[in-house]
Amino acid sequence: MRTPPPSHLGALREGFSLLRRHPGLSLGLTLLAMFLAELAPALELAAGVKPSLLVQALFAFVGLLPLEMYFIPRMQAQLDGETLNHPGNPSATWQAVFDGRWLKAFLTRLGLSVAVGLGLLAFLIPGILVLTLFGWGPMRMLLRGDSILESLRWSQAAMVRHWPRVVQAVLAMLLVAITYQMAAGWALDRLFPNLDPDLGPGALLRLKHPAFWVFNLLGGAMNLWLSCALLALYHRLETSVQKA
């Protein structure tokens, strides 16, 4: 009887290991995430817009854009170069390699996110399929220097053969993130029981109350861990493809 391949759930633990390689960098990015998250209510106040959950989500996206666009991919490129020293991202030159690729990889990720979002809004299943098959494309571009089409083809071919273990690990990561969000939501309800569920906490409250700074700090740490865990999962997928 053929022995089934081991799961990729170890990527969750490896994500913590990658974070611990540079404690100072991890702490600095976590603090940056906290301050960028607090930029959202400041922008709301400056714009003078009416409070709503949609407005909060929009300004949160704008506030965290520098982190998602540049700082987290840079950390992933550094960790990838240091741990694997792959010819596509050598340890000695990872900074120069990253500088030449990060914008193209981000634009590809942005385009893929739009395609996934449209698929989710339309019929749900197409969006999930696009994300499952092509989700590794931007990381492949960033770390290995493939073109857009090459990276998307690689992602598709890899996921067609290895999707069960990869999806299992991703779902486990999402479970951790959702558990944190539920715990944070529960704490928020206890701290502020009279908030309007359609409006959420006001911008001034989110800017001044220390609880939101703590939530944003923990959320930033969670985001960094997820990014490192996804990097570890990519490494596992890449190894599986090479062995096949």
Side-chain angles (χ1 to χ4, degrees):
M1 182 180 293
R2 182 180 178 183
T3 303
S7 75
H8 287 325
L9 293 177
L12 281 73
R13 181 186 66 255
E14 292 162 6
F16 286 110
S17 298
L18 289 172
L19 271 181
R20 291 198 298 269
R21 285 183 64 90
H22 298 286
L25 174 63
S26 298
L27 177 60
L29 289 179
T30 301
L31 291 173
L32 177 62
M34 177 184 70
F35 283 107
L36 288 177
E38 285 297 328
L39 181 63
L43 291 173
E44 287 182 49
L45 290 174
V49 294
K50 294 182 179 180
S52 71
L53 294 178
L54 180 61
V55 167
Q56 291 182 25
L58 177 62
F59 280 101
F61 171 79
V62 172
L64 291 174
L65 190 59
L67 192 72
E68 298 292 338
M69 181 178 182
Y70 183 83
F71 291 103
I72 287 181
R74 189 179 190 277
M75 177 188 69
Q76 290 176 322
Q78 179 180 357
L79 292 172
D80 174 76
E82 292 175 349
T83 54
L84 295 188
N85 195 27
H86 190 280
N89 185 31
S91 176
T93 59
W94 70 264
Q95 297 183 52
V97 168
F98 170 78
D99 289 340
R101 297 175 181 167
W102 71 271
L103 182 57
K104 183 172 65 174
F106 171 75
L107 292 176
T108 302
R109 179 183 172 188
L110 188 62
L112 185 63
S113 299
V114 171
V116 170
L118 292 175
L120 292 174
L121 288 174
F123 300 104
L124 185 64
I125 299 299
I128 295 175
L129 287 176
V130 170
L131 180 60
T132 301
L133 291 175
F134 304 110
W136 295 111
M139 186 173 291
R140 182 74 181 179
M141 290 181 62
L142 178 68
L143 301 181
R144 302 295 174 254
D146 289 3
S147 67
I148 295 178
L149 291 179
E150 289 172 341
S151 63
L152 295 179
R153 288 195 192 105
W154 183 92
S155 179
Q156 179 188 22
M159 289 300 292
V160 164
R161 299 194 63 177
H162 303 282
W163 70 267
R165 293 186 295 157
V166 173
V167 170
Q168 179 192 42
V170 171
L171 290 177
M173 295 175 197
L174 290 177
L175 179 61
V176 175
I178 291 172
T179 300
Y180 164 73
Q181 291 293 340
M182 291 177 63
W186 178 87
L188 190 65
D189 289 340
R190 296 301 178 276
L191 286 171
F192 310 102
N194 297 321
L195 289 179
D196 188 331
D198 295 325
L199 299 179
L204 188 59
L205 178 64
R206 285 183 286 127
L207 192 62
K208 298 180 67 173
H209 200 287
F212 291 96
W213 290 79
V214 173
F215 292 148
N216 289 330
L217 180 70
L218 296 176
M222 174 66 67
N223 192 16
L224 285 184
W225 168 74
L226 282 173
S227 300
C228 288
L230 286 172
L231 175 62
L233 183 58
Y234 170 79
H235 287 166
R236 284 170 166 261
L237 178 60
E238 194 173 52
T239 300
S240 298
V241 171
Q242 292 170 353
K243 289 180 178 179

